[in-house]
Protein backbone atom coordinates (compact mmCIF):
# COMPACT_ATOMS: atom_id res chain seq x y z
CA UNK A 1 0.00 0.00 0.00
CA UNK A 2 1.27 3.47 -0.79
CA UNK A 3 0.90 6.22 1.81
CA UNK A 4 0.64 9.73 0.44
CA UNK A 5 2.35 12.86 1.86
CA UNK A 6 1.03 14.42 5.06
CA UNK A 7 -0.26 11.16 6.50
CA UNK A 8 0.54 9.96 10.02
CA UNK A 9 2.57 6.93 11.04
CA UNK A 10 3.70 5.89 14.51
CA UNK A 11 6.68 4.16 16.06
CA UNK A 12 6.86 2.50 19.46
CA UNK A 13 9.25 0.28 21.33
CA UNK A 14 7.61 -3.05 22.08
CA UNK A 15 4.81 -5.46 21.07
CA UNK A 16 1.60 -4.86 22.97
CA UNK A 17 2.73 -1.43 24.10
CA UNK A 18 -0.30 0.32 22.56
CA UNK A 19 -3.74 -0.65 21.26
CA UNK A 20 -3.26 -0.60 17.49
CA UNK A 21 -7.00 -0.31 16.82
CA UNK A 22 -6.96 2.97 18.77
CA UNK A 23 -3.98 4.14 16.73
CA UNK A 24 -5.96 3.56 13.56
CA UNK A 25 -9.01 5.33 14.97
CA UNK A 26 -6.84 8.33 15.89
CA UNK A 27 -5.69 8.65 12.28
CA UNK A 28 -2.51 6.55 11.98
CA UNK A 29 -1.90 4.75 8.68
CA UNK A 30 1.23 2.70 9.46
CA UNK A 31 3.57 1.62 12.23
CA UNK A 32 7.36 1.39 12.24
CA UNK A 33 8.49 -1.51 14.40
CA UNK A 34 11.83 -2.94 15.48
CA UNK A 35 14.16 -5.70 14.49
CA UNK A 36 17.11 -6.26 16.82
CA UNK A 37 19.90 -8.62 17.84
CA UNK A 38 17.71 -11.59 18.79
CA UNK A 39 14.23 -12.73 17.83
CA UNK A 40 13.20 -12.77 21.50
CA UNK A 41 14.57 -9.29 22.24
CA UNK A 42 11.91 -7.22 24.02
CA UNK A 43 11.73 -4.67 21.17
CA UNK A 44 11.24 -7.06 18.29
CA UNK A 45 8.05 -7.33 16.25
CA UNK A 46 6.52 -10.80 16.26
CA UNK A 47 4.38 -12.54 13.65
CA UNK A 48 1.41 -12.21 15.99
CA UNK A 49 1.95 -8.47 16.33
CA UNK A 50 2.37 -8.16 12.56
CA UNK A 51 -1.06 -9.73 12.09
CA UNK A 52 -2.62 -7.52 14.78
CA UNK A 53 -1.25 -4.41 13.09
CA UNK A 54 -2.62 -5.55 9.76
CA UNK A 55 -6.01 -6.42 11.22
CA UNK A 56 -6.24 -2.86 12.54
CA UNK A 57 -5.78 -1.59 8.98
CA UNK A 58 -2.23 -0.31 9.44
CA UNK A 59 0.82 -0.87 7.26
CA UNK A 60 4.28 -1.73 8.58
CA UNK A 61 7.89 -0.60 8.12
CA UNK A 62 10.82 -2.35 9.80
CA UNK A 63 13.55 -0.53 11.70
CA UNK A 64 16.79 -2.12 12.95
CA UNK A 65 18.46 -1.01 16.18
CA UNK A 66 20.82 -3.24 18.17
CA UNK A 67 21.43 -0.41 20.65
CA UNK A 68 21.56 3.36 20.78
CA UNK A 69 25.30 3.35 19.93
CA UNK A 70 25.50 0.32 17.61
CA UNK A 71 26.48 2.64 14.76
CA UNK A 72 29.69 3.42 16.70
CA UNK A 73 31.08 -0.03 15.84
CA UNK A 74 31.37 -0.07 12.03
CA UNK A 75 32.60 -3.66 11.95
CA UNK A 76 29.26 -4.83 13.35
CA UNK A 77 27.36 -3.45 10.37
CA UNK A 78 27.70 -6.64 8.32
CA UNK A 79 26.49 -9.01 11.04
CA UNK A 80 23.68 -6.65 12.00
CA UNK A 81 22.42 -6.42 8.42
CA UNK A 82 22.55 -10.18 7.98
CA UNK A 83 20.51 -10.63 11.16
CA UNK A 84 18.06 -7.92 10.11
CA UNK A 85 17.55 -9.44 6.65
CA UNK A 86 17.10 -12.92 8.12
CA UNK A 87 14.49 -11.72 10.61
CA UNK A 88 12.67 -9.64 8.00
CA UNK A 89 12.56 -12.57 5.57
CA UNK A 90 11.24 -14.88 8.29
CA UNK A 91 8.35 -12.47 8.83
CA UNK A 92 7.71 -12.28 5.08
CA UNK A 93 8.76 -8.64 4.71
CA UNK A 94 8.88 -7.77 0.96
CA UNK A 95 12.32 -7.09 -0.50
CA UNK A 96 11.15 -3.91 -2.22
CA UNK A 97 10.70 -2.23 1.18
CA UNK A 98 13.59 -0.75 3.18
CA UNK A 99 15.08 -2.03 6.39
CA UNK A 100 15.76 1.20 8.26
CA UNK A 101 18.97 1.38 10.31
CA UNK A 102 18.98 3.86 13.20
CA UNK A 103 21.62 6.44 14.03
CA UNK A 104 19.76 7.92 16.97
CA UNK A 105 22.37 10.44 18.09
CA UNK A 106 23.70 13.89 17.36
CA UNK A 107 26.67 12.69 15.30
CA UNK A 108 29.28 15.33 14.62
CA UNK A 109 32.79 15.57 13.21
CA UNK A 110 34.59 12.22 13.01
CA UNK A 111 31.47 10.44 14.29
CA UNK A 112 29.79 11.09 10.94
CA UNK A 113 32.41 9.01 9.14
CA UNK A 114 32.14 6.24 11.72
CA UNK A 115 28.36 6.06 11.38
CA UNK A 116 28.60 6.24 7.58
CA UNK A 117 31.02 3.29 7.57
CA UNK A 118 28.62 1.27 9.73
CA UNK A 119 25.75 2.05 7.35
CA UNK A 120 27.88 1.20 4.33
CA UNK A 121 28.61 -2.26 5.73
CA UNK A 122 24.94 -2.60 6.66
CA UNK A 123 23.89 -1.70 3.11
CA UNK A 124 26.27 -4.20 1.52
CA UNK A 125 25.00 -7.12 3.61
CA UNK A 126 21.23 -6.57 3.39
CA UNK A 127 20.60 -9.46 0.97
CA UNK A 128 18.52 -7.50 -1.50
CA UNK A 129 16.65 -5.23 0.90
CA UNK A 130 17.07 -1.48 0.31
CA UNK A 131 18.76 0.52 3.05
CA UNK A 132 16.76 3.09 4.95
CA UNK A 133 18.35 5.51 7.41
CA UNK A 134 16.87 7.08 10.53
CA UNK A 135 19.04 10.03 11.46
CA UNK A 136 19.80 13.72 11.29
CA UNK A 137 20.87 15.54 8.15
CA UNK A 138 24.67 15.19 8.55
CA UNK A 139 24.58 11.40 8.44
CA UNK A 140 21.78 11.11 5.86
CA UNK A 141 23.64 13.51 3.57
CA UNK A 142 26.94 11.67 4.06
CA UNK A 143 25.40 8.31 3.16
CA UNK A 144 23.73 9.83 0.11
CA UNK A 145 22.49 7.42 -2.54
CA UNK A 146 23.18 4.31 -0.44
CA UNK A 147 19.92 5.06 1.36
CA UNK A 148 16.72 4.65 -0.61
CA UNK A 149 14.67 5.91 2.34
CA UNK A 150 15.38 8.74 4.81
CA UNK A 151 13.56 9.11 8.12
CA UNK A 152 14.32 12.49 9.68
CA UNK A 153 14.64 12.82 13.45
CA UNK A 154 12.42 15.05 15.50
CA UNK A 155 15.40 16.98 16.82
CA UNK A 156 16.13 19.83 14.41
CA UNK A 157 19.01 20.80 16.71
CA UNK A 158 20.89 17.75 15.40
CA UNK A 159 20.77 19.14 11.86
CA UNK A 160 17.79 19.62 9.57
CA UNK A 161 19.36 20.70 6.27
CA UNK A 162 18.79 17.55 4.23
CA UNK A 163 20.14 17.29 0.68
CA UNK A 164 16.86 15.59 -0.30
CA UNK A 165 13.32 15.68 1.00
CA UNK A 166 13.10 13.01 3.72
CA UNK A 167 10.45 10.35 3.23
CA UNK A 168 9.07 11.08 6.68
CA UNK A 169 9.91 13.04 9.82
CA UNK A 170 9.41 12.11 13.45
CA UNK A 171 7.36 14.36 15.75
CA UNK A 172 6.11 14.29 19.32
CA UNK A 173 2.46 13.46 19.92
CA UNK A 174 1.76 17.06 20.89
CA UNK A 175 1.49 17.88 17.18
CA UNK A 176 -1.92 16.17 16.89
CA UNK A 177 -4.34 16.09 19.84
CA UNK A 178 -5.98 12.80 18.82
CA UNK A 179 -2.77 11.04 19.92
CA UNK A 180 -2.50 12.63 23.38
CA UNK A 181 -4.26 9.51 24.74
CA UNK A 182 -1.14 7.40 24.14
CA UNK A 183 0.70 8.00 27.41
CA UNK A 184 1.72 5.75 30.28
CA UNK A 185 0.66 6.09 33.92
CA UNK A 186 3.31 8.76 34.48
CA UNK A 187 2.14 10.82 31.50
CA UNK A 188 5.07 9.84 29.27
CA UNK A 189 4.20 9.29 25.58
CA UNK A 190 4.29 5.65 24.49
CA UNK A 191 4.55 6.51 20.79
CA UNK A 192 6.15 9.01 18.44
CA UNK A 193 4.39 10.36 15.38
CA UNK A 194 5.84 10.38 11.88
CA UNK A 195 4.52 12.62 9.13
CA UNK A 196 5.08 11.48 5.55
CA UNK A 197 6.79 14.08 3.36
CA UNK A 198 6.72 12.05 0.13
CA UNK A 199 4.76 8.98 -1.05
CA UNK A 200 6.01 5.82 0.70
CA UNK A 201 5.20 2.14 0.37
CA UNK A 202 4.38 0.11 3.48
CA UNK A 203 3.76 -3.58 4.12
CA UNK A 204 0.13 -4.63 4.35
CA UNK A 205 -1.63 -7.97 4.66
CA UNK A 206 -4.39 -9.06 2.30
CA UNK A 207 -5.18 -7.90 -1.20
CA UNK A 208 -7.51 -5.02 -0.30
CA UNK A 209 -6.17 -2.99 2.62
CA UNK A 210 -8.42 -0.13 3.74
CA UNK A 211 -7.85 3.39 2.55
CA UNK A 212 -5.96 5.72 4.91
CA UNK A 213 -8.23 7.83 7.14
CA UNK A 214 -8.23 11.63 6.75
CA UNK A 215 -5.35 13.41 8.43
CA UNK A 216 -6.38 14.86 11.78
CA UNK A 217 -6.00 18.64 12.01
CA UNK A 218 -3.26 20.15 14.16
CA UNK A 219 -4.17 21.39 17.62
CA UNK A 220 -6.05 24.65 17.64
CA UNK A 221 -3.91 27.61 18.69
CA UNK A 222 -4.65 29.33 21.96
CA UNK A 223 -6.65 32.57 21.80
CA UNK A 224 -4.55 35.29 20.25
CA UNK A 225 -2.05 32.79 18.81
CA UNK A 226 -1.76 31.46 15.26
CA UNK A 227 0.38 28.88 13.52
CA UNK A 228 1.42 28.02 9.99
CA UNK A 229 2.45 24.59 8.69
CA UNK A 230 5.38 24.74 6.28
CA UNK A 231 4.57 23.59 2.75
CA UNK A 232 6.92 22.43 0.00
CA UNK A 233 8.78 25.41 -1.50
CA UNK A 234 8.18 27.74 1.47
CA UNK A 235 10.88 30.03 2.84
CA UNK A 236 10.81 31.91 6.11
CA UNK A 237 10.97 35.18 4.17
CA UNK A 238 7.92 34.27 2.10
CA UNK A 239 6.00 33.14 5.20
CA UNK A 240 6.84 36.41 6.95
CA UNK A 241 5.66 38.44 3.93
CA UNK A 242 2.40 36.50 3.58
CA UNK A 243 1.55 36.94 7.26
CA UNK A 244 2.59 40.60 7.43
CA UNK A 245 5.49 40.10 9.80
CA UNK A 246 9.29 39.83 9.68
CA UNK A 247 11.79 36.99 9.74
CA UNK A 248 13.22 38.36 12.98
CA UNK A 249 9.80 38.26 14.61
CA UNK A 250 9.28 34.67 13.46
CA UNK A 251 12.65 33.65 14.87
CA UNK A 252 11.78 35.22 18.23
CA UNK A 253 8.52 33.25 18.35
CA UNK A 254 10.21 30.00 17.24
CA UNK A 255 13.53 29.55 19.09
CA UNK A 256 13.77 25.97 17.76
CA UNK A 257 14.57 27.42 14.32
CA UNK A 258 18.32 27.82 14.49
CA UNK A 259 18.90 28.47 10.77
CA UNK A 260 16.36 30.71 8.98
CA UNK A 261 17.42 29.27 5.63
CA UNK A 262 16.40 25.73 6.58
CA UNK A 263 12.84 24.89 7.57
CA UNK A 264 11.15 21.51 7.12
CA UNK A 265 7.99 20.61 5.24
CA UNK A 266 5.35 19.86 7.89
CA UNK A 267 7.04 22.03 10.53
CA UNK A 268 4.54 24.10 12.54
CA UNK A 269 5.61 27.72 12.95
CA UNK A 270 4.08 30.02 15.56
CA UNK A 271 3.12 33.39 14.11
CA UNK A 272 3.50 36.65 16.06
Amino acid sequence: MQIQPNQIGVDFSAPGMVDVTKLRAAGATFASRYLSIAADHWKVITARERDNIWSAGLGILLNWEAGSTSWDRPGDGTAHAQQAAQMAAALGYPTNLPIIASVDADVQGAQIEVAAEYLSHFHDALSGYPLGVYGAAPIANRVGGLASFVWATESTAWGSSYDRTPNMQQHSISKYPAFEQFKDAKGKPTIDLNITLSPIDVWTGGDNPPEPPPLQPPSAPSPGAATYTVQRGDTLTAIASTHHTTVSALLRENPAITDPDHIMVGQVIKLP
Side-chain angles (χ1 to χ4, degrees), residues 42-64:
W42 66 272
K43 283 186 177 183
V44 171
I45 184 173
T46 63
R48 180 178 180 180
E49 185 194 6
R50 172 201 64 195
D51 295 343
N52 286 342
I53 291 172
W54 282 344
S55 67
L58 300 173
I60 297 171
L61 289 173
L62 294 182
N63 175 30
W64 169 271

Side-chain angles (χ1 to χ4, degrees), residues 8-255:
I8 299 175
V10 298
D11 63 278
F12 50 94
S13 298
M17 194 169 189
V18 294
D19 185 334
V20 291
T21 60
K22 290 183 179 179
L23 288 174
R24 173 69 179 181
T29 58
F30 65 96
S32 179
R33 288 290 293 112
Y34 280 105
L35 304 172
S36 195
I37 51 176
D40 60 353
H41 190 278
W42 66 272
K43 283 186 177 183
V44 171
I45 184 173
T46 63
R48 180 178 180 180
E49 185 194 6
R50 172 201 64 195
D51 295 343
N52 286 342
I53 291 172
W54 282 344
S55 67
L58 300 173
I60 297 171
L61 289 173
L62 294 182
N63 175 30
W64 169 271
E65 186 176 67
S68 60
T69 60
S70 56
W71 55 268
D72 199 23
R73 300 182 298 277
D76 290 346
T78 297
H80 288 177
Q82 291 170 344
Q83 174 75 353
Q86 180 181 359
M87 295 175 75
L91 285 168
Y93 192 60
T95 54
N96 66 302
L97 296 179
I99 294 177
I100 304 166
S102 295
V103 180
D104 193 5
D106 184 10
V107 291
Q108 298 180 10
Q111 292 178 319
I112 296 173
E113 295 304 316
V114 172
E117 184 180 352
Y118 172 86
L119 292 170
S120 178
H121 289 306
F122 197 96
H123 166 272
D124 292 346
L126 266 179
S127 302
Y129 285 103
L131 171 68
V133 172
Y134 169 86
I139 184 60
N141 295 345
R142 175 63 182 81
V143 172
L146 284 183
S148 69
F149 188 101
V150 171
W151 179 1
T153 64
E154 179 186 357
S155 177
T156 56
W158 290 0
S160 58
S161 181
Y162 289 85
D163 290 344
R164 56 184 274 191
T165 300
N167 299 88
M168 64 185 188
Q169 183 175 21
Q170 192 175 70
H171 293 275
S172 70
I173 63 173
S174 61
K175 185 174 176 67
Y176 291 97
F179 292 88
E180 289 283 351
Q181 62 185 292
F182 298 103
K183 294 181 178 179
D184 63 19
K186 296 181 178 180
K188 182 179 179 181
T190 55
I191 63 169
D192 288 311
L193 296 185
N194 299 283
I195 309 302
T196 55
L197 304 180
S198 66
I200 66 170
D201 292 320
V202 297
W203 186 30
T204 52
D207 296 326
N208 297 295
E211 289 297 315
L215 187 68
Q216 299 298 313
S219 1
S222 58
T227 60
Y228 175 77
T229 302
V230 177
Q231 308 297 312
R232 192 180 304 277
D234 277 345
T235 65
L236 210 58
T237 300
I239 294 170
S241 176
T242 299
H243 294 278
H244 309 291
T245 186
T246 65
V247 170
S248 296
L250 289 176
L251 292 174
R252 284 195 298 272
E253 293 288 340
N254 299 272

